Amino acid sequence: MTGCCLARPACCPGYWAEVVVRSPDAHAEWYVDGTWSATPDEALAWLHHRAERLASVLEAVPAAHRPDTGPAEPASPVAAVLRDWAADAAFRRVQRDALAAGAPVSANAIGPDRFHGGASVEVLYSLSARPVPLRSRAQAPPAVPPPRGA
């Protein structure tokens, strides 16, 4: 264990990592995937793997379904951002240390997309992880008394 778990084992039993896609233009949000990890390294490794998979999917979209980005734009600017983030070992160490210290971390990319051949909308891709502290008995909410007459 590292970070807050090493200092206070009861405070931080694990880390939650997830991938969420949002589009305010489409008035929608999609929960893509999530996992529980025992360490910050495991959580970040999972996020980096998901970033690579998401980038591959975005690059595989047939040209006929992509928004018109012009000849100078890459097929998927979001895929490039996700791949750059996943390849940045120095920043990964910074995020690992922040996560171990109890801070949430994230990688976000925004770009155009189309839904079912409709108009182009802005879509935000968010990969994040956060420590999940364990509440002590002293912090636990009071027990609910049984109903009268039970």
Side-chain angles (χ1 to χ4, degrees):
M1 288 193 201
T2 61
C4 71
C5 293
L6 184 61
R8 297 182 303 164
C11 83
C12 186
Y15 301 86
W16 178 251
E18 65 185 9
V19 178
V20 178
V21 178
R22 296 174 180 88
S23 177
D25 292 342
H27 307 288
E29 176 173 308
W30 301 271
Y31 172 82
V32 178
D33 201 359
T35 193
W36 182 263
S37 300
T39 68
D41 286 322
E42 288 176 13
L44 286 170
W46 185 86
L47 285 177
H48 285 223
H49 179 69
R50 288 304 180 273
E52 289 289 344
R53 288 183 61 193
L54 185 54
S56 295
V57 167
L58 292 170
E59 290 170 339
V61 174
H65 296 284
R66 288 190 192 126
D68 182 19
T69 58
E73 293 291 322
S76 175
V78 170
V81 169
L82 295 176
R83 286 194 194 284
D84 287 348
W85 173 75
D88 190 341
F91 191 57
R92 183 176 184 157
R93 286 189 295 275
V94 169
Q95 286 195 311
R96 180 196 59 219
D97 292 347
L99 191 55
V105 299
S106 66
N108 301 286
I110 193 166
D113 205 340
R114 289 184 192 219
F115 296 98
H116 305 291
S120 180
V121 295
E122 287 293 313
V123 178
L124 173 66
Y125 300 86
S126 181
L127 296 90
S128 63
R130 68 183 188 280
V132 179
L134 180 65
R135 292 163 57 130
S136 71
R137 286 197 178 275
Q139 295 172 317
V144 177
R148 291 180 186 225

